[in-house]
Amino acid sequence: MSPRPDPACAAPDRPRRRRRQLLVGVVGVGAALTLAACGGGSTPTAASKSSKAGHPSHPTGTAAPTVSSSSTTAATASTTTTTTTTTTTTTVPGTHGPLTSPPLPAPGPGFAAGQVTAIGDSVMIDYQTALEKDIPGVNVQATVSKQWSEGEDEVQQLKAAGQLGSVVIVGLGTNGPITATDFDSMMSQLSGASRVVFVNVHVDRTWQDPNNGVLAAGVGRYPNTVLADWNTLASQNPTWLYSTSTHLPINGPGAQALASLVASQA
């Protein structure tokens, strides 16, 4: 007697198999729906992934002040109000550059009120054109290889002639060492000035840092003086200068930046 065939190996009954496939398909759809309802079983696509916004690059120039504004954001149970506050900058007639309170004091004898005089060496020649544009009417007295003592003599002569502005820009110290005594001597000539702007130096010489130290310390001793930190700005932007790391192309980006820096302090 031959053995009976195993039902698992028997030839498939086609109609029954079709019904089984349909049943499996329905069960599969139901399982997929169940997984979707539970939040599982799917791989996030590129469109669904969140991307963190990069930090915006900082502006290279000084942006114009914006008008104070407020914005209100509605939420489900509360309202949040955000207010942006701006600082108002005023310009006092007869003076130059942005000023906050108090205004510049009136100059003493020998100074021309409302006028600006710039005393400098060959580096000032590099940014003279840009400075004259930023400060209309500025009287620039800049010559090649000018020493600090020569600048003192020039200040004395202009003051005696009544041609020294009440705001004085001093751009010296490129061509040799200076001392605290030199600084005090210059300030004795500038006694009575409404404001004195000292521009520190960026030069490939051993006296760069000592001179800048003298200028910074001197500005700290005299309340009517300010420091234009050209050395830091130039160090951050070496491509503005020639390979000598001292001079810069006339009307180039470095010259314009230096003039703008000085004008903002004058």
Side-chain angles (χ1 to χ4, degrees):
M1 180 177 178
S2 60
R4 295 178 64 182
D6 187 347
C9 299
D13 180 71
R14 297 183 181 278
R16 185 172 298 176
R17 183 178 182 181
R18 186 175 298 111
R19 288 195 297 273
R20 185 182 296 115
Q21 290 175 340
L22 291 173
L23 180 59
V24 171
V26 172
V27 173
V29 171
L33 292 174
T34 301
L35 287 172
C38 297
S42 61
T43 302
T45 61
S48 66
K49 294 179 181 178
S50 62
S51 59
K52 186 176 181 181
H55 184 74
S57 59
H58 293 285
T60 56
T62 302
T66 55
V67 180
S68 299
S69 61
S70 62
S71 60
T72 303
T73 303
T76 302
S78 62
T79 301
T80 302
T81 303
T82 303
T83 303
T84 302
T85 304
T86 57
T87 301
T88 302
T89 301
T90 59
T91 302
V92 180
T95 60
H96 298 268
L99 299 174
T100 56
S101 59
L104 291 179
F111 293 92
Q115 299 299 313
V116 181
T117 301
I119 308 292
D121 49 36
S122 57
V123 174
M124 185 174 284
I125 294 176
D126 295 342
Y127 66 95
Q128 177 176 348
T129 301
L131 187 64
E132 290 171 341
K133 181 178 179 180
D134 289 344
I135 307 178
V138 62
N139 177 19
V140 179
Q141 300 290 326
T143 55
V144 176
S145 300
K146 184 180 293 182
Q147 298 291 328
W148 187 274
S149 58
E150 294 176 300
E152 288 183 50
D153 294 340
E154 198 164 32
V155 165
Q156 186 177 16
Q157 294 168 6
L158 290 171
K159 187 176 180 181
Q163 298 176 358
L164 188 62
S166 59
V167 175
V168 181
I169 300 167
V170 179
L172 298 169
T174 301
N175 299 303
I178 59 175
T179 65
T181 301
D182 294 327
F183 190 95
D184 291 339
S185 178
M186 176 70 78
M187 285 305 299
S188 68
Q189 299 294 336
L190 293 174
S191 177
S194 299
R195 173 176 290 174
V196 183
V197 180
F198 286 95
V199 186
N200 67 10
V201 299
H202 185 80
V203 58
D204 187 19
R205 293 292 185 270
T206 57
W207 54 77
Q208 173 189 277
D209 292 344
N211 282 6
N212 288 341
V214 167
L215 294 174
V219 167
R221 295 195 305 272
Y222 294 88
N224 64 328
T225 62
V226 293
L227 182 70
D229 189 3
W230 166 238
N231 181 48
T232 295
L233 189 59
S235 298
Q236 295 171 347
N237 300 275
T239 58
W240 286 351
L241 296 93
Y242 289 118
S243 58
T244 57
S245 299
T246 301
H247 286 279
L248 48 163
I250 295 175
N251 290 330
Q256 295 177 23
L258 178 49
S260 178
L261 172 67
V262 173
S264 71
Q265 301 294 331

